[in-house]
Amino acid sequence: MRFIYRRRRERNPVGKRGKPRDIKIGILLPVPYRAAMSSLFLHYAYIALNQLESVVAYRYVYDIASDTLEALDTSEPLTKLDAVLVSAPFELDYVALARIATELRLAPRKGYSKPILIS
């Protein structure tokens, strides 16, 4: 799996930088960019979380055809975040989500592990 950081030409992106002590949350949709942009969950969660004072939210999408995890807002990998919100509305998205979790070793382990997966 490749991890890339790609800034897209978007209207009204959130330009919140955050501080080192802020909670970093990733919003992951295991679908390609074009499909993710039509998701209300992605837009609502991204705006709502970034409005909180001590939270910074980043967006991630996964293209199963090219096996690429794409970060839209930061070069920070998913494994360095505090929590990851996941939306997998279709059954085939579970396959992509399992692939991401296995590849990045996001599966639960004994004790506390970062990031916390929230679906």
Side-chain angles (χ1 to χ4, degrees):
M1 174 186 323
R2 290 183 325 145
F3 174 76
I4 61 171
Y5 165 56
R6 183 182 302 164
R7 286 282 276 184
R8 301 285 184 144
R9 296 188 74 201
E10 299 175 320
R11 292 184 180 164
N12 304 322
V14 175
K16 189 173 182 181
R17 290 181 108 35
K19 301 174 185 93
R21 67 180 182 273
D22 287 347
I23 298 170
K24 295 179 179 102
I25 299 177
I27 303 167
L28 171 65
L29 270 72
V31 295
Y33 176 79
R34 290 188 66 177
M37 287 301 110
S38 65
S39 169
L40 288 177
F41 168 76
L42 177 68
H43 296 293
Y44 181 75
Y46 183 60
I47 291 170
L49 288 171
N50 276 316
Q51 286 179 347
L52 299 173
E53 187 173 322
S54 61
V55 175
V56 178
Y58 305 119
R59 299 170 297 164
Y60 296 86
V61 295
Y62 177 71
D63 187 6
I64 198 165
S66 63
D67 195 27
T68 303
L69 181 63
E70 183 178 339
L72 304 177
D73 304 305
T74 183
S75 59
E76 193 92 22
L78 274 175
T79 55
K80 301 291 183 191
L81 302 178
D82 297 312
V84 177
L85 291 177
V86 179
S87 177
F90 303 106
E91 289 81 7
L92 291 177
D93 295 341
Y94 297 142
V95 175
L97 185 57
R99 172 133 175 79
I100 295 167
T102 303
E103 190 75 26
L104 298 178
R105 295 188 181 109
L106 297 176
R109 296 179 292 272
K110 284 187 174 182
Y112 176 75
S113 64
K114 279 173 95 173
I116 298 169
L117 288 177
I118 304 168
S119 63

